[in-house]
Amino acid sequence: MKRNFTTVVFMLIFVQLFAQNKINDSLPVPGQWSVERINQWYENQPWLVGCNYYPATAINQIDMWQASTWNPERIDLELSWAADMGMNTLRVFLHDLVWADDAKGLYKRMDQFLDICQKYNIRPWFVFFDDCHFPNPKLGEQPLPVKGYHNSGWVNSPARELAERYARGEATPKEIGSLKGYVQKTIKRFKNDERVLMWELYNEPGRGTGEEGDMGAAKVNSKIGDQSKQLVYDSWVWAREVNPSQPITSTSAGSVGETNIRINRINSDLHSIHTYSGPKGIRKQVSEFKKNGRPVIVTEWLARDQGSTVDDCLTVFKELQVGAVNWGFVSGKSGTIWNWKSRTDEHGNRSVKHERDNGNVVQPGEAFPEPKIWFHDLFRFDGTPYSEDEIKIFKRLTGKK
């Protein structure tokens, strides 16, 4: 009995040592590109202009990629609009549940997506993990969008509960192996694919919902902060072990938690930062991130009623030779034409469960309601621009006639 107990204890210790790496958030994980190498790579790219992309028919990452809702025809149509205005890259979110359910099918769809992008001379990159918005992702039919609500269906990857258990060292070997396989096998599959621009490991770790909210479950904490740090660090170890031909980044500015930010900032080949401020704020933030000599891509911007506008900001990005990838493209199920404040009411919260239970949703085929001033996005579902003048600015600055 004593021997069996001792054996179990040693096995548990071994599993933990094997599963998770000791965090060293003061030094890079081995394999980071040199400053000279990443700058040479960046100089060989065009001025990178694009958007965070998912089709208007998808409410979240799962909706975009699972087989039952995969819509290449709609993607082809929307990317023709992107190419026509001069976009040459896209930031695209994957989801671990889709991979775990059908990795072979996901890779087939990714290949099809990359072929469509190549048709329009667009080189996208993929994002693996995301701590933003609703905590309980599920495969299958996704919920209908709540009217006038910013991102009523965007989900965490991995699920919040799993990310928190991972942080405490309580994830099972199977769960850890699945997350590691998701990152490593996906990068290996495309590590020498010239259609892929780069890789981004984690979008805004620690962010949480941004405000109180629910999705058919109990209310969740607004921000989770450094509870993500172990998965953030391990994602770097996993990716560097594969050593793809493309550079690797992970969100620095925009994340929550000092350790999360430090790990990503120290290890990124080039910086992925988010800024929803106007020109003055952009200049200050970009200057601060360029101090270590690495290129910068602003991978989220455009919040019109906060001063982050096409008119004021796109020229600044080009002047600074900073990549410009705004949030959103075509107004659709995500509802991101609505301000972040649309997620609150006079009591400080709008429950999406309550809204759906009361039928306040956009039904299939129903037009999406619009605020007077859009927050994100550039086109309506039918392809008409929110602002013709904005599209002209994109075309002028990207050299599209």
Side-chain angles (χ1 to χ4, degrees), residues 62-133:
I62 294 173
D63 228 11
M64 177 175 178
W65 288 111
Q66 65 182 354
S68 60
T69 46
W70 171 242
N71 194 341
E73 294 80 13
R74 179 70 197 185
I75 291 171
D76 189 294
L77 174 64
E78 292 184 0
L79 295 199
S80 71
W81 303 340
D84 185 62
M85 62 184 290
M87 287 187 173
N88 53 32
T89 192
L90 303 169
R91 183 176 186 243
V92 184
F93 289 73
L94 303 174
H95 202 284
D96 65 288
L97 290 185
V98 178
W99 180 87
D101 179 65
D102 181 19
K104 185 176 180 180
L106 173 62
Y107 294 155
K108 182 179 179 181
R109 293 186 285 278
M110 289 174 69
D111 267 320
Q112 191 174 5
F113 177 76
L114 288 167
D115 283 343
I116 296 170
C117 288
Q118 189 174 45
K119 172 182 173 181
Y120 294 111
N121 296 313
I122 293 171
R123 293 180 69 202
W125 79 91
F126 299 104
V127 184
F128 288 101
F129 298 122
D130 188 5
D131 278 349
C132 286
H133 299 310

Side-chain angles (χ1 to χ4, degrees), residues 51-302:
C51 64
N52 286 264
Y53 180 74
Y54 41 87
T57 52
I59 198 169
N60 58 31
Q61 319 93 302
I62 294 173
D63 228 11
M64 177 175 178
W65 288 111
Q66 65 182 354
S68 60
T69 46
W70 171 242
N71 194 341
E73 294 80 13
R74 179 70 197 185
I75 291 171
D76 189 294
L77 174 64
E78 292 184 0
L79 295 199
S80 71
W81 303 340
D84 185 62
M85 62 184 290
M87 287 187 173
N88 53 32
T89 192
L90 303 169
R91 183 176 186 243
V92 184
F93 289 73
L94 303 174
H95 202 284
D96 65 288
L97 290 185
V98 178
W99 180 87
D101 179 65
D102 181 19
K104 185 176 180 180
L106 173 62
Y107 294 155
K108 182 179 179 181
R109 293 186 285 278
M110 289 174 69
D111 267 320
Q112 191 174 5
F113 177 76
L114 288 167
D115 283 343
I116 296 170
C117 288
Q118 189 174 45
K119 172 182 173 181
Y120 294 111
N121 296 313
I122 293 171
R123 293 180 69 202
W125 79 91
F126 299 104
V127 184
F128 288 101
F129 298 122
D130 188 5
D131 278 349
C132 286
H133 299 310
F134 297 104
N136 302 310
K138 294 180 181 179
L139 295 173
E141 185 177 358
Q142 300 300 300
L144 293 172
V146 173
K147 290 182 178 179
Y149 191 107
H150 180 100
N151 253 336
S152 62
W154 196 262
V155 288
N156 290 183
S157 177
R160 182 79 50 80
E161 182 269 339
L162 173 54
E164 291 176 345
R165 282 194 295 108
Y166 193 98
R168 298 192 299 267
E170 297 171 2
T172 67
K174 182 179 179 180
E175 290 169 330
I176 296 167
S178 182
L179 294 175
K180 181 178 180 179
Y182 167 55
V183 173
Q184 289 199 327
K185 292 181 181 180
T186 302
I187 295 178
K188 284 179 182 178
R189 174 68 169 71
F190 298 97
K191 66 176 290 186
N192 295 311
D193 195 323
E194 293 185 356
R195 297 172 299 174
V196 178
L197 181 70
M198 61 183 188
W199 301 96
E200 187 161 358
L201 301 178
Y202 217 127
N203 176 66
E204 297 195 353
R207 173 61 60 182
T209 60
E211 56 276 304
E212 295 295 321
D214 64 40
M215 198 172 188
K219 289 185 178 181
V220 296
N221 292 329
S222 177
K223 297 183 176 76
I224 61 174
D226 277 335
Q227 290 183 71
S228 300
K229 66 183 180 182
Q230 186 66 62
L231 184 55
V232 171
Y233 186 81
D234 285 357
S235 69
W236 276 109
V237 174
W238 299 336
R240 291 300 188 198
E241 286 175 351
V242 178
N243 188 29
S245 63
Q246 308 96 341
I248 306 170
T249 189
S250 198
T251 309
S252 297
S255 300
V256 176
E258 291 183 5
T259 305
N260 285 338
I261 293 168
R262 189 159 56 247
I263 291 170
N264 284 344
R265 187 161 182 173
I266 288 172
N267 285 286
S268 289
D269 295 324
L270 70 165
H271 297 298
S272 167
I273 70 172
H274 300 168
T275 176
Y276 288 100
S277 61
K280 184 177 180 180
I282 291 169
R283 291 180 187 279
K284 180 179 179 181
Q285 195 167 6
V286 168
S287 174
E288 198 269 328
F289 270 87
K290 280 189 172 183
K291 286 179 180 178
N292 70 352
R294 295 182 178 275
V296 174
I297 301 179
V298 175
T299 52
E300 287 189 26
W301 68 281
L302 187 59

